[in-house]
Amino acid sequence: MPPHSDIVKVAIEWPGANAQLIEIDQKKPLSSIVREVCDGWSLSGSEQFALRYADGPQLYITEQSRSEMKNGTILRLAISPARAARQLLDRIQSHGIDARLEALKELAKLSADPTFATEFINMEGIGTLARLVESGTHFGEMLAFTLTAFLELMDHGIVSWDLISLSFIKQIAGYVNQPMVDVSILQRSLAILESMVLNSHSLYHRVAQDITVGQLIGHLSNQEIQTYAIALINALFLKAPEDRRQEMASTLAQKHLRSIILNHVIRGNRPIKAEMAHQLYVLQVLTFNLLEERMMTKMDPSDQAQRDIIFELRRIAFDGENDPSGTEKRKAMYTKDYKMLGFTNHVNPAMDFTQTPPGMLALDNMLYLAKLHQDTYIRIVLENSSREDKHECPFGRCAIELTRMLCEILQVGELPNEGCNDYHPMFFTHDRAWEEFFCVCIQLLNKTWKEMRATAEDFNKVMQVVREQITRALAMKPSSLDHLKGKLRGLSYSEILRLRQSERMSQDDFQSPPIIELRERIQPEILELIKQQRLNRLCEGSCFRKLGNRRRQEKFWFCRLSLNHKVLHYGDLDESPQGEVPLELLTDKIPVSDIKSVVTGKDCPHMKEKSALKQNKEVLELAFSILYDPDENLNFVAPNKYEYCVWTDGLCALLGREMGSDLTRSDLDTLISMEMKLRLLDLENIAIPEAPPPVPKEPSTYNFTYNYG
């Protein structure tokens, strides 16, 4: 008898017959198992049949994927992938419209299966679908299902996008450019064009010739296709050559893309879903990346045009009108003015802009402030020039360092991260959002300098405080630049000190011997409390997204631990749940006793094929897998760092192993510090009690509260 781990108990269905309850020996060839199932129903030609899952995506079971079958799984006997592909290919070329439509519906569903897709593609199926589209004779539902099947098949990466014909591209582009097209067709057409642009350099140029930005922007008023339209704009923006990006940005500005997104998307009457948030984030990153060239351009001290910008800064601050004098004698007298402007090099301030980053971008910001916010600029410069030397805030040096800081905070020049949704609404409220953001922040820096009564020696300390003020304000997601100003007013230097003190008090690690001994005594009970809270959170369960080629069509799945901590239940969901998912809706399960280990990051089976590109870094940091008997795994990508820590720690606690995430260590330090302070309040002197207080049975009996939600 084979080992128990090699036997899977399943039910197999066949239309019009009673289900068979069988035990599948995972060591037997799949063809033998199919033959036995066919014999049970007296079906001949077992080579024409295969097994598929009865629920969810209903994928075919292959020798490679059979290890994913679980006890209690419901399967279905179906015609083999090759036979199904041949039948569907014949039906979609039939003359009967109804038969062709039904075949395309089924094809659109089956095309998501990689096994079927391989067979269909090998029969030149993609070419057949392309010719149906190129003919221009399909409309409505029939065309929508044709495009869906085409996109699903291409997404498997079996066939190169470079093989797509020019006539097919023109036909798809025609659907996008037509004023009145069915929404379902338009969605699929935009998605196909996006995939073309992202997957083929040559197709980018063809698509860019046939698709006008104006047409794409015109689609943003339709809420059903907004995400698809912005995704295609982002793809064109991302793949455009360097010399085309600035031109494209100017076109988008002329077409008022920003204001349309602000009014129809951000301030629309629908909540912004994860995919739309991601596309807005990508657009924000690509827009800021246009600054990279200036950020990495050094100033040429011998370039008179660049030097004239510095002269203009001096003139606006001190002359108030054009200075007709251009003699070397007059320029020699500028040294004092350049010192008052806060440049490091008083004789030749052009040398201050030779370091990259921020390069010429800092000078651009300073000139924008001086010209567009002249009163603010003059006030900052003159206010500091009238202070005592030791307390003056060097405007030039501050502006250069602030520009560098803002580039780091907003990651100018970095590629967008896959799965990141961190867009800021306020950057869509102004055509010159970057420059206006700088103007707000330079005023903050000047204000903070005064509040700190800083001197030149305190420069780095001031910049650290300003960075903290800006990052804390951005984390609040201000809806406009005025809203940002309000948030920054509430984050004065004294408030930053208060926040730091509060956080320090909650994280303090007292080093005196009595405190160390008290810490050692209470650590086990605090650690046990954390373990229990982690396990309780696992019993509530979490929703995870499935990684796919196209994020808009992603599905979700849910996993939770049984209340007796003996079984992990999981199952697929059509959308992210709003509350707890009942166990009866989760069709799959793993006994905790079968779990061998928990691995993270690049050690996960589903991460070993991932590339090391920047856009995959965040996914890699949130990945973990459960390895269980016999040689199977369940793969996760946590929605955020908190859920990652909760699940990895909870699983370790479940297996009786030490928890190891950074969040656990932080929780432990915080809880121990709080508990120590409460206990020390009862002591007249800092001394260790003879025995620690008894461990309460319920967390609620503690004198402190810790919320994981």
Side-chain angles (χ1 to χ4, degrees):
M1 178 180 290
H4 175 72
S5 59
D6 292 329
I7 297 297
V8 180
K9 298 178 181 180
V10 301
I12 302 180
E13 299 176 339
W14 175 254
N18 294 327
Q20 295 186 39
L21 302 178
I22 69 170
E23 294 184 351
I24 292 180
D25 183 356
Q26 292 284 41
K27 290 187 176 180
K28 291 180 63 175
L30 200 56
S31 58
S32 299
I33 297 171
V34 173
R35 186 183 309 113
E36 292 175 7
V37 173
C38 289
D39 291 343
W41 283 311
S42 301
L43 298 173
S44 60
S46 62
E47 67 278 0
Q48 298 293 318
F49 294 92
L51 295 176
R52 289 170 57 187
Y53 289 100
D55 301 317
Q58 300 182 10
L59 301 178
Y60 278 102
I61 296 171
T62 64
E63 290 290 355
Q64 292 73 32
S65 65
R66 62 185 297 179
S67 61
E68 299 174 8
M69 284 191 293
K70 311 293 187 298
N71 285 325
T73 300
I74 300 177
L75 306 179
R76 179 175 297 157
L77 185 66
I79 60 174
S80 67
R83 185 179 173 191
R86 173 52 60 192
Q87 289 183 359
L88 286 176
L89 195 57
D90 292 340
R91 288 164 58 193
I92 63 176
Q93 297 179 89
S94 67
H95 297 291
I97 295 179
D98 292 340
R100 189 182 302 177
L101 177 60
E102 290 303 315
L104 288 169
K105 284 183 180 180
E106 189 173 350
L107 178 62
K109 182 178 180 181
L110 279 176
S111 294
D113 188 309
T115 307
F116 170 84
T118 301
E119 297 290 346
F120 190 82
I121 290 172
N122 289 339
M123 297 176 185
E124 302 297 329
I126 285 183
T128 301
L129 294 179
R131 285 190 291 274
L132 290 176
V133 174
E134 292 169 10
S135 68
T137 58
H138 282 51
F139 305 97
E141 259 193 321
M142 192 173 292
L143 178 57
F145 285 119
T146 303
L147 296 178
T148 300
F150 178 87
L151 189 55
E152 291 284 0
L153 292 167
M154 292 299 298
D155 268 348
H156 292 293
I158 301 171
V159 177
S160 171
W161 282 92
D162 287 316
L163 299 177
I164 302 302
S165 68
L166 183 59
S167 59
F168 180 86
I169 299 173
K170 289 187 175 297
Q171 190 68 34
I172 297 296
Y175 298 138
V176 174
N177 291 327
Q178 288 177 17
M180 297 296 293
V181 179
D182 184 78
V183 168
S184 60
I185 295 174
L186 190 53
Q187 287 178 340
R188 289 154 178 80
S189 298
L190 289 167
I192 289 172
L193 292 174
E194 179 196 358
S195 293
M196 287 181 182
V197 171
L198 293 177
N199 289 285
S200 170
H201 179 71
S202 61
L203 290 186
Y204 156 77
H205 293 285
R206 294 180 181 178
V207 173
Q209 290 173 2
D210 292 329
I211 295 296
T212 64
V213 173
Q215 285 288 346
L216 293 177
I217 293 177
H219 291 310
L220 294 180
S221 58
N222 187 331
Q223 294 180 331
E224 300 296 328
I225 56 177
Q226 287 173 340
T227 306
Y228 295 85
I230 295 178
L232 180 53
I233 291 173
N234 284 338
L236 291 168
F237 211 153
L238 182 64
K239 294 299 181 178
E242 291 291 339
D243 57 341
R244 279 275 299 137
R245 289 182 186 173
Q246 290 289 352
E247 179 184 338
M248 186 175 176
S250 299
T251 303
L252 293 174
Q254 293 171 9
K255 297 292 183 179
H256 307 291
L257 173 65
R258 178 198 60 77
S259 59
I260 292 173
I261 289 177
L262 181 66
N263 295 324
H264 291 281
V265 179
I266 297 176
R267 295 176 179 173
N269 54 12
R270 281 190 178 186
I272 294 179
K273 295 183 179 180
E275 172 58 20
M276 176 60 82
H278 173 72
Q279 295 300 341
L280 293 176
Y281 154 77
V282 172
L283 181 59
Q284 172 185 293
V285 171
L286 295 177
T287 302
F288 283 146
N289 281 356
L290 294 172
L291 304 168
E292 183 180 12
E293 182 181 357
R294 294 293 284 175
M295 180 183 76
M296 300 307 295
T297 299
K298 296 181 180 181
M299 187 171 187
D300 181 0
S302 63
D303 189 320
Q304 187 59 44
Q306 295 180 3
R307 291 168 61 88
D308 285 345
I309 299 176
I310 298 178
F311 297 156
E312 181 70 1
L313 290 175
R314 191 214 64 80
R315 183 196 66 76
I316 295 174
F318 301 116
D319 291 350
E321 59 184 20
N322 290 328
D323 181 10
S325 173
T327 64
E328 290 300 320
K329 180 179 179 181
R330 177 58 182 153
K331 291 178 181 178
M333 298 173 62
Y334 288 170
T335 300
K336 180 181 178 181
D337 292 345
Y338 290 148
K339 180 179 180 181
M340 294 172 66
L341 277 171
F343 289 112
T344 302
N345 191 318
H346 307 155
V347 177
N348 186 6
M351 299 302 297
D352 287 16
F353 300 95
T354 56
Q355 185 175 358
T356 58
M360 290 295 289
L361 184 59
L363 187 60
D364 295 342
N365 286 340
M366 295 167 70
L367 184 62
Y368 182 90
L369 175 69
K371 287 193 169 183
L372 276 295
H373 299 274
Q374 193 170 115
D375 292 343
T376 299
Y377 168 69
I378 294 174
R379 175 179 57 79
I380 291 175
V381 173
L382 296 184
E383 187 179 81
N384 285 288
S385 63
S386 62
R387 291 181 189 166
E388 300 177 39
D389 284 347
K390 65 177 184 177
H391 287 295
E392 63 184 12
C393 177
F395 169 75
R397 183 185 177 190
C398 287
I400 293 170
E401 189 58 35
L402 177 63
T403 302
R404 188 199 329 272
M405 180 196 298
L406 297 183
C407 289
E408 292 173 358
I409 292 174
L410 297 177
Q411 298 180 325
V412 175
E414 299 286 336
L415 287 174
N417 285 322
E418 181 184 346
C420 183
N421 303 333
D422 190 24
Y423 81 98
H424 296 281
M426 69 176 185
F427 291 130
F428 292 88
T429 62
H430 200 284
D431 289 330
R432 303 293 294 273
W434 166 264
E435 292 86 348
E436 290 293 324
F437 183 47
F438 169 83
C439 294
V440 172
C441 292
I442 194 68
Q443 294 178 72
L444 168 72
L445 195 159
N446 187 60
K447 174 174 171 286
T448 301
W449 185 283
K450 289 188 290 185
E451 291 174 347
M452 294 178 66
R453 297 185 59 79
T455 62
E457 290 76 17
D458 301 318
F459 183 85
N460 290 333
K461 294 179 181 178
V462 175
M463 297 307 298
Q464 290 173 4
V465 173
V466 171
R467 176 186 284 270
E468 187 171 346
Q469 291 171 314
I470 294 171
T471 53
R472 286 181 183 272
L474 288 177
M476 301 177 194
K477 298 293 181 183
S479 58
S480 66
L481 290 164
D482 287 337
H483 193 194
L484 172 69
K485 294 176 184 178
K487 296 296 183 185
L488 291 174
R489 280 194 294 270
L491 289 170
S492 62
Y493 175 56
S494 59
E495 177 64 11
I496 292 295
L497 288 180
R498 188 193 68 78
L499 291 171
R500 285 180 174 179
Q501 180 67 16
S502 175
E503 292 167 359
R504 189 180 299 115
M505 288 296 292
S506 66
Q507 298 173 0
D508 240 349
D509 187 8
F510 303 109
Q511 295 301 316
S512 63
I515 297 300
I516 293 174
E517 186 174 346
L518 175 57
R519 184 184 184 86
E520 291 174 351
R521 288 192 182 188
I522 66 177
Q523 179 165 329
E525 65 183 82
I526 299 295
L527 186 56
E528 182 60 30
L529 173 61
I530 293 175
K531 287 182 179 180
Q532 291 304 317
Q533 289 177 316
R534 291 287 196 254
L535 292 174
N536 291 342
R537 183 68 183 83
L538 262 60
C539 290
E540 295 174 8
S542 298
C543 180
F544 302 91
R545 66 181 179 89
K546 290 186 174 182
L547 289 182
N549 292 327
R550 296 194 315 283
R551 303 178 70 253
R552 284 187 295 280
Q553 299 182 16
E554 283 177 348
K555 299 295 183 181
F556 300 88
W557 66 288
F558 195 89
C559 186
R560 60 178 294 193
L561 179 66
S562 63
L563 295 178
N564 62 8
H565 297 178
K566 291 186 177 180
V567 180
L568 277 174
H569 297 264
Y570 65 97
D572 292 336
L573 301 173
D574 290 333
E575 57 184 18
S576 181
Q578 299 302 313
E580 190 174 287
V581 177
L583 290 177
E584 48 269 24
L585 295 181
L586 305 176
T587 56
D588 300 307
K589 59 184 179 181
I590 300 173
V592 172
S593 58
D594 288 349
I595 298 178
K596 294 189 292 188
S597 64
V598 178
V599 296
T600 61
K602 62 183 180 181
D603 295 327
C604 297
H606 60 312
M607 291 292 112
K608 289 181 179 178
E609 300 301 323
K610 282 279 183 182
S611 69
L613 294 177
K614 296 175 183 176
Q615 53 264 47
N616 290 321
K617 181 180 178 182
E618 184 174 339
V619 175
L620 193 67
E621 292 175 348
L622 298 177
F624 62 98
S625 297
I626 295 174
L627 308 183
Y628 61 99
D629 288 332
D631 289 308
E632 303 177 24
N633 53 74
L634 184 63
N635 300 317
F636 300 74
V637 175
N640 50 55
K641 189 66 175 177
Y642 166 73
E643 289 288 345
Y644 171 85
C645 294
V646 166
W647 275 85
T648 52
D649 279 348
L651 291 169
C652 288
L654 194 63
L655 300 177
R657 299 167 188 172
E658 182 180 356
M659 299 184 292
S661 76
D662 293 336
L663 186 57
T664 294
R665 301 276 75 81
S666 175
D667 291 344
L668 181 61
D669 292 343
T670 299
L671 288 172
I672 288 177
S673 297
M674 294 173 68
E675 180 73 351
M676 280 199 300
K677 290 168 188 175
L678 289 168
R679 292 187 182 185
L680 289 173
L681 289 175
D682 296 330
L683 304 176
E684 293 182 0
N685 300 303
I686 298 181
I688 300 301
E690 295 182 0
V695 178
K697 294 182 179 179
E698 297 293 336
S700 60
T701 59
Y702 275 90
N703 294 326
F704 61 91
T705 302
Y706 193 79
N707 181 13
Y708 279 81

